Amino acid sequence: MDATPPRFTLETLTHLRRWTPRLFSFRMTRPAHFHFRPGQFARLGLDGEDGQTFWRPYSMVSTPDDPELEFLSIVVPGGAFTSRLETLRVGDTIRFNTLSFGFLTTDTFDSGTTLWMLATGTGLAPFVSLLRDPATCRQFPRLVLVHGVRHGAELAYRDELLRLVDEAPVPGGGSLRYLSAVTRESVPGALSARIPTLLASGDLQQAAGWPLDREVSRIMICGNPDMVQDTRSWLTAQGFRPHRRKEPGQFLVELGW
Ligand SMILES: Cc1cc2nc3c(=O)[nH]c(=O)nc-3n(C[C@H](O)[C@H](O)[C@H](O)COP(=O)(O)OP(=O)(O)OC[C@H]3O[C@@H](n4cnc5c(N)ncnc54)[C@H](O)[C@@H]3O)c2cc1C
């Protein structure tokens, strides 16, 4: 008898939460043999009319000890995957590839005491998973999460993140700063420029109350490719280097699409 668990499974949607008309979270069943580390992504599949399956990478919001899987999704008007995804209801099925991918994981770094997580839009997803995991806070006593969005309503998971900030110290013993940057409207308490601009002006470091320092700061960047590129360029100009296994550096990047 072949005991190899299936690589592709059919999972069931169990929960939907809409943040805005174009942004929602969903939970679905999880194959028992699917393993991942916080910060990683998997591939989800939906069938088109002609029998073709559209596969897309999605970062897990949930943690490895959660019996279900949770994701955060944009709706791209006319997008092959998300225009189908947004019509699904609880009880509908989603194809799942049980391999996990990605290096936006804290065990990639073997030094540093402050972890900066810089996200725009759905690039927040891997960082929620990391922050829900007490191991992240044990490894990095200081954590800074920056979420850049256009409108305040897109600050998904804000209440949960504010609760984590209030739980001082956060699970695992660290302390967390949660900063939001809203570019298209004024939101009380939020910064109001793009992440690369806030870094260059020093406003982000000032709002966090901690400097960005090559010795102790480690940085993860995830989201809009323009933000990722501009942030990477600014960091490189300041002497920070991308982290590679054989060439340790200070930052890791993941493009949001
Ligand atoms: C490593 C990785 C992880 C990802 N994780 C997530 C995730 O957790 N949640 C998520 O919603 N998407 C995520 N994506 C993007 C996702 O795979 C799809 O691109 C997205 O769901 C849209 O699919 P689509 O077929 O509808 O449109 P596509 O044809 O795939 O995309 C069309 C266009 O929509 C825009 N777009 C695509 N994705 C986004 C996005 N997330 N935010 C804003 N604009 C976007 C881009 O301009 C893109 O060219 C991830 C992508 C990568 C590479």
Side-chain angles (χ1 to χ4, degrees), residues 41 56-59 72-74 76 79-82 122 125 254-257:
F41 64 92
R56 292 291 183 274
Y58 269 78
S59 300
L72 171 66
S73 183
I74 188 83
V76 177
F81 186 86
T82 52
T122 58
E254 189 168 273
L255 294 176
W257 60 86

Side-chain angles (χ1 to χ4, degrees), residues 44-86:
L44 306 181
L46 289 174
D47 295 338
E49 281 80 45
D50 56 0
Q52 182 190 3
T53 300
F54 297 97
W55 289 97
R56 292 291 183 274
Y58 269 78
S59 300
M60 273 68 75
V61 171
S62 46
T63 47
D65 62 357
D66 190 326
E68 293 191 327
L69 292 169
E70 182 173 334
F71 300 96
L72 171 66
S73 183
I74 188 83
V75 178
V76 177
F81 186 86
T82 52
S83 59
R84 288 177 170 79
L85 185 68
E86 74 159 339

Side-chain angles (χ1 to χ4, degrees), residues 18-24 73-77 86 122 150:
R18 208 161 264 286
W19 305 98
T20 75
R22 288 193 51 203
L23 184 70
F24 65 101
S73 183
I74 188 83
V75 178
V76 177
E86 74 159 339
T122 58
R150 292 178 176 174

Side-chain angles (χ1 to χ4, degrees), residues 26 31 34 61 98 146 149 177 188 196 234 247 255:
F26 59 98
F34 173 63
V61 171
T98 60
V146 186
V149 295
R177 305 275 198 268
W234 183 80
E247 214 180 314
L255 294 176

